[in-house]
Amino acid sequence: TKLLNAYKKIKKNDLDNYTDDAQIYSMLEEKINIVEGDELNKKITTKKEFDLITKMLEKNNATKIGHGIDFHKFGEGKNLVIFGKKINFPRGLEGHSDADVGIHALIDAICGALNLGDIGKLFPNTDPKYKNIDSKILLRNVNQLIIKNKAQLIHADNTIICEKPRISKYTLQMRKILSDILCIDKNCISIKATTTEKMGFLGKEEGIAAISIVTMNKLN
């Protein structure tokens, strides 16, 4: 109400002489509280200022989000490998490669952020050269694609879904493996696990699923 009353004291033709509400409010001789601002919080008053900010934002990095998910069923005669770490467990996962469900979900998430399709497009299971391949090799190849596309991985949040095995004691080693391959700090990689409370094929211990969400910066 006070600010409205201050506006009423100004002639319409004189409005251009005032730069903001605070200057107009000061006409009432009321106390104005001043707080420290942020240089990044740019004030936009005119169209020229709007156009300038728009150009600045266009030059900045674009933030991209990628989502990946993968499933593998248990089988006999294979080692269990998750996020590049061999897990002490009597059963492994079936797949064309080493069936590393964690890395496969992570690759899909990265591909999504870079708009490169999915892991099957990059490394088709019909190609014999990928038979039983170590998925860490695939992830290294994907890391080269990140560099080629002028992008930067900022953070990767990963979830393993299974009843068994318990992976909590391995997560630090897994994060270190991924950070070495992707050339980022291990604190930028999160690995956690959950169960389905005995529901569904995962609850019946028929396999393992993984979900990955990545945040990336990509230069325009």
Side-chain angles (χ1 to χ4, degrees), residues 5 17 22 27 29 33-34 56 68-69 78 88-89 103 106 114-115 150 161-162 172 176 195 198-199 203 205 219-220:
N5 289 334
N17 296 326
M27 294 175 52
E29 298 183 356
N33 295 320
I34 299 175
M56 290 175 59
I69 186 169
K78 268 195 164 186
N88 184 21
F89 196 65
I103 284 184
L106 178 57
L114 296 177
N115 199 25
K150 297 181 180 180
I161 308 171
C162 63
L172 184 57
K176 180 65 168 60
T195 72
K198 303 295 183 180
M199 296 183 294
E205 301 179 24
L219 296 177
N220 292 324

Side-chain angles (χ1 to χ4, degrees), residues 27-41:
M27 294 175 52
L28 300 177
E29 298 183 356
E30 295 279 354
K31 181 180 179 181
I32 298 176
N33 295 320
I34 299 175
V35 297
E36 185 176 353
D38 189 330
E39 291 182 355
L40 297 178
N41 186 17

Side-chain angles (χ1 to χ4, degrees), residues 96 123-130:
H96 185 69
F123 313 110
N125 59 13
T126 54
D127 192 330
K129 71 180 179 182
Y130 299 124

Side-chain angles (χ1 to χ4, degrees), residues 105-134:
L106 178 57
I107 287 176
D108 254 1
I110 293 172
C111 287
L114 296 177
N115 199 25
L116 296 177
D118 56 35
I119 188 172
K121 180 180 178 181
L122 293 180
F123 313 110
N125 59 13
T126 54
D127 192 330
K129 71 180 179 182
Y130 299 124
K131 180 67 175 176
N132 296 322
I133 193 171
D134 185 337

